[in-house]
Amino acid sequence: MDIIAEQLHCTTVMLIGSDQQRLITAARTALEAGLGVYIRPHVPDLAQPKLLAHLDAVAQAAEELRQDHPEKLTLLVGSEFSHTAPGIVPGPRSFLRLKLILRYRRMLRRRINRRLHDLLTAAAATARRRFHGPLTYSAAGWEDVDWTLFDLVGVSLYRGRRNQATYTDRLRGLVREHVKPVVITEFGCGAFTGADQRGAGSFQIVNWFAATPRIRGDHPRDEAVQARYLGELIDQYNAEGVHGCFVFTYAMPDFPHRNDPQHDLDRAGFGVVAVSEDGSCRPKQAFHEVARHYGNFAGHDDPASGTRR
């Protein structure tokens, strides 16, 4: 947290996880480091009644912490419920539901919107019974959310080949259409040639079914691609009046950096820090690019420049 605050010059961190106690402990540590905190419970594939019960417990713990740190805590009710929560589209697992949405999104749109609205209405009511600070949600790009339920508009907005031509219009539309502050809850890409064209799909160059997961095909490591992508979008968000943005992400230990190019999974991950198998960490070019941009905001009213952790 000290590195995120002092070296990356972040003002805010988003904490994501399923363990309530770890979330609150991490939030307390971040607050002590001088960071604002967005708490985001993440319990994919949990049945909706249990999801709401978990949210209720997190909201209560978050409110207790908020009372000691007013104006510093924001709670998210969750993220991308259209595939992370069972019951909105068919499928036993989040990954399979996501594949179904990506393939048949137009056919499923009305069903997604109707069932998503019902769940978000219940989630917002559950959270507000306990938590009395700002509330939001991390929406997928295809989700149509009723933002009257929340205090901020939160959208994951990756740029890639498919939406490159329309990305700026989409961003401007979000800011123009909403009186409430707009926060980009995720953006990022991998660190290899062409990762900027893949955006959120950067991880797909990994063959996860191999005995030891390995990189498919020829994707040379190129940290400059990731650094340039993040820098461009931070500048764009600032120019378009976005309230805040969260780089995805600080580090991904499940995508270890290895010297063997075929098994260097870090290039397919989104971390601005590379983590080796022995646990050692190294800042990537993206780390220094993010630090430079956020450092330029120091002393200005920039409420939520941050990174996910």
Side-chain angles (χ1 to χ4, degrees):
M1 295 300 177
D2 288 337
I3 291 172
I4 290 172
E6 297 170 8
Q7 296 184 30
L8 277 174
H9 308 295
C10 294
T11 62
T12 311
V13 65
M14 183 179 291
L15 304 172
I16 306 168
S18 59
D19 187 303
Q20 171 196 328
Q21 188 55 54
R22 292 188 68 185
L23 276 174
I24 298 304
T25 299
R28 185 176 292 109
T29 302
L31 290 164
E32 290 170 355
L35 291 162
V37 174
Y38 280 48
I39 295 177
R40 180 168 140 188
H42 181 62
V43 283
D45 299 324
L46 195 65
Q48 292 187 22
K50 293 182 178 180
L51 183 155
L52 294 174
H54 182 268
L55 174 61
D56 182 74
V58 172
Q60 181 172 351
E63 175 59 21
E64 293 171 2
L65 188 59
R66 188 194 68 84
Q67 290 178 8
D68 294 330
H69 301 272
E71 311 300 327
K72 298 288 284 185
L73 246 67
T74 298
L75 177 64
L76 292 90
V77 300
S79 62
E80 302 190 5
F81 280 160
S82 56
H83 70 89
T84 61
I88 294 179
V89 299
R93 294 288 181 270
S94 175
F95 177 72
L96 296 175
R97 293 191 292 269
L98 176 59
K99 291 184 69 175
L100 186 69
I101 291 169
L102 293 178
R103 186 167 184 177
Y104 299 109
R105 186 164 58 199
R106 292 183 180 179
M107 294 174 58
L108 293 168
R109 183 176 179 179
R110 292 182 63 183
R111 173 185 172 131
I112 290 173
N113 289 341
R114 183 178 67 255
R115 297 191 179 195
L116 176 63
H117 176 72
D118 291 344
L119 178 55
L120 287 177
T121 300
T126 297
R128 289 198 189 278
R129 280 197 296 267
R130 304 289 191 182
F131 184 78
H132 304 300
L135 194 69
T136 190
Y137 167 72
S138 179
W142 60 82
E143 292 179 344
D144 186 7
V145 174
D146 176 6
W147 291 109
T148 64
L149 297 168
F150 301 103
D151 302 301
L152 302 100
V153 175
V155 182
S156 296
L157 202 63
Y158 291 85
R159 189 187 70 189
R161 181 184 299 108
R162 292 184 177 181
N163 70 344
Q164 192 158 5
T166 60
Y167 189 88
T168 297
D169 289 341
R170 167 74 166 138
L171 179 64
R172 288 176 178 171
L174 281 171
V175 176
R176 183 176 60 248
E177 292 166 11
H178 299 286
V179 176
K180 297 176 180 180
V182 173
V183 174
I184 306 303
T185 49
E186 292 182 21
F187 69 107
C189 74
F192 59 89
T193 302
D196 55 331
Q197 297 298 302
R198 290 177 176 260
S202 294
F203 72 95
Q204 292 176 334
I205 67 169
V206 178
N207 177 5
W208 295 103
F209 298 101
T212 300
R214 58 191 295 157
I215 302 295
R216 291 193 186 99
D218 183 26
H219 301 283
R221 185 179 184 87
D222 190 342
E223 294 187 12
V225 169
Q226 182 189 29
R228 184 169 57 250
Y229 180 100
L230 293 177
E232 288 174 357
L233 290 183
I234 290 170
D235 282 343
Q236 186 172 10
Y237 300 151
N238 186 50
E240 298 295 344
V242 170
H243 177 72
C245 59
F246 289 92
V247 172
F248 183 74
T249 184
Y250 180 73
M252 297 184 74
D254 290 342
F255 287 69
H257 173 50
R258 301 185 177 105
N259 291 328
D260 177 2
Q262 290 186 329
H263 296 96
D264 178 23
L265 303 191
D266 173 74
R267 79 177 83 171
F270 300 81
V272 298
V273 169
V275 183
S276 299
E277 289 181 292
D278 62 5
S280 60
C281 299
R282 174 184 65 80
K284 292 154 71 173
Q285 288 185 35
F287 181 101
H288 300 294
E289 186 71 2
V290 170
R292 182 176 69 83
H293 280 75
Y294 286 172
N296 289 338
F297 296 144
H300 300 284
D301 183 18
D302 179 52
S305 56
T307 182
R308 286 186 15 156
R309 182 175 176 85

